[in-house]
Amino acid sequence: MRIAMGQLASGTDTAANLHAIDGFAARAAAGGAALVAFPEYATYEKKKIDATFPTVAQPLDGKVGTELARIAAHHGIALVAGMVEASPDPARAYNTLVAFGQDGSQLAAYRKVHLFDAQGFRESDFVAPAPATEPVTFDVDGVRFGLMTCYDLRFPEQAQALSDAGSQVLLVCSSWVPGELKTKQWRTLLAARAIENSLYVAGVCQSPPVSVGHSLLAGPMGEVVAELGTVPDVLAADLSPAAVAEVRKHFPTHRQRRIR
């Protein structure tokens, strides 16, 4: 299977962000990708989360979600993107990843579990945590994908739960805040989650200055299969479910785990 990572430089102009998503989805589909993934807050983003996020929040079937579904169906490609979803609390939105199939049908929606209250930021001031923590997965062409968002990457038990739910690929859609050693940590943690669970991990990130860029696909042995730099771009890479099965045969940690 071929998947693509669409590294954006999203801002507050939702129409412009959707136009960029449309263009990258077209390129990914033309290159033979079955799925294209975009970052956290793909449709609305700022250097720091503030009170505007709840004001732009929409239901999943609102104008933003409807346009993402249209893009997926128009190009015949499965699509995952981060959006600001309305929650029952008017002062706080959900930070949501929504996945659409190649026909535009909604496959899954994942609300971020671990909010970024770190490094001087307080995402939880304007974003509500997911009310449920069960793993969220969906299938495309017989491959199971698990959804995680940014800061979730620092919690290995979440990746493990997605692996236990049958995921062969983790999509970590992110806006990884820059700082000391942050790019190194991003690359290291993506590889670590891949090695720990013997699966592929696709980390899809926003570009600087909001984020660090370096979207990459790590293989089930932790190897870097493909990686972008810091500019907005779309990159396709091939993955093999058979490779996941082969690595798990040689390192059967799923069966050997004694602490749960």
Side-chain angles (χ1 to χ4, degrees), residues 14-119:
T14 297
N17 298 334
L18 289 167
H19 181 73
I21 289 169
D22 193 4
F24 280 1
R27 287 176 54 189
L35 175 145
V36 58
F38 293 97
E40 172 186 30
Y41 292 128
T43 61
Y44 185 84
E45 175 66 304
K46 281 186 172 182
K47 180 73 173 174
K48 204 160 189 177
I49 296 169
D50 61 19
T52 65
F53 280 70
T55 68
V56 302
Q58 297 185 9
L60 294 179
D61 60 355
K63 290 183 178 180
V64 170
T66 298
E67 177 61 9
L68 291 172
R70 184 202 67 79
I71 291 170
H74 179 71
H75 299 296
I77 189 170
L79 184 151
V80 177
M83 63 174 286
V84 187
E85 182 193 359
S87 84
D89 181 353
R92 295 199 297 173
Y94 289 128
N95 179 348
T96 300
L97 301 179
V98 61
F100 296 98
Q102 295 156 343
D103 60 356
S105 61
Q106 185 180 312
L107 300 178
Y110 166 69
R111 295 163 177 164
K112 189 176 184 181
V113 169
H114 300 102
L115 301 182
F116 188 62
D117 288 359
Q119 206 178 334

Side-chain angles (χ1 to χ4, degrees), residues 158-250:
Q158 185 166 353
Q160 185 180 93
L162 287 163
S163 176
D164 289 346
S167 298
Q168 296 152 297
V169 186
L170 300 184
L171 299 178
V172 186
C173 302
S174 306
S175 186
W176 197 258
V177 174
E180 183 181 5
L181 297 176
K182 290 297 294 293
T183 301
K184 181 177 182 179
Q185 291 175 2
W186 164 250
R187 299 178 83 253
T188 299
L189 289 168
L190 291 170
R193 300 294 89 84
I195 294 167
E196 290 165 350
N197 297 289
S198 302
L199 42 61
Y200 288 91
V201 178
V204 190
C205 208
Q206 296 275 3
S207 287
V210 169
S211 189
V212 301
H214 288 280
S215 300
L216 69 85
L217 177 65
M221 291 287 283
E223 74 279 18
V224 175
V225 178
E227 181 174 3
L228 287 168
T230 57
V231 300
D233 202 357
V234 62
L235 177 65
D238 294 323
L239 55 83
S240 169
V244 172
E246 185 68 15
V247 172
R248 289 178 175 178
K249 182 174 72 174
H250 291 290

